[in-house]
Every structure is written in C-alpha cells, then in structure tokens.
Amino acid sequence: MDNRSLNLVVAVTDDDWFEMLRRHQNLSEVNFWAPSAANFRALQPGEMFLFKLHAPRNVIVGGGIFAYANSLPCSLAWEAFREANGAGNAGPHRPLSSRGPK
C-alpha cells in the first residue's frame, strides 16, 4: 500500500490579480497576499498552491509551489515583489489588500 499524500490549498483570488499576472508571464514568483496579518500555516514549503477565481468564473486558473509566508506592510511587499503583487503600481496594491473576501 502506498502511504504518500498530497497536501494542497485552493485559494479563491481576485480576477484583477489574476488578469494582471497573466499579462506578466515571465515572472518567476508571485505574491499571493491576504488583507489580514494572520499567519498562513496551511502549507509547508514545496506543497501545491492553486488559484481559483470567484464566481461566476469559478475555475482554477493557475498554481505554483508554496515557498514561504511573511507578514509585511504594503510598502515593503511592493518593494519586494513589484508587479508580482498583481498590481501595476503601489497605488492599486493598497486598496486590493484591504478589499477582503467577495
């Protein structure tokens, strides 16, 4: 019997975040951020992270390998990830990070 298991998270994401990152396909990493500073403990490094759009689209549109989670102020997240935050500049990043779940 094979005892291997697969741990993954399917995270519902913002359409604007997805569309912005889809236009920048050369990114080697992205910042999937949340409006709260709660510690993310659902995955260990190397496990799968899938991205699903809100209804009505309601489909998995991508994924990646989880590396790490940090709690950062918006300004530092922008400096570290720039467009990999899913926003064209620091201006839209702030409202998106405080928008919360739909």
Side-chain angles (χ1 to χ4, degrees), residues 16-73:
D16 294 337
W17 181 86
F18 166 69
E19 292 297 338
M20 171 68 184
L21 294 174
R22 185 170 73 156
R23 291 189 302 269
H24 290 81
Q25 295 182 12
N26 60 333
L27 296 172
S28 62
E29 65 180 349
V30 299
N31 182 23
F32 185 77
W33 42 267
S36 73
N39 292 336
F40 181 80
R41 295 188 180 123
L43 293 173
Q44 296 297 312
E47 294 179 324
M48 293 288 303
F49 208 127
L50 301 177
F51 307 109
K52 177 183 164 294
L53 296 179
H54 289 278
R57 292 172 81 180
N58 215 24
V59 294
I60 293 175
V61 292
I65 306 299
F66 177 73
Y68 61 91
N70 284 328
S71 179
L72 300 173

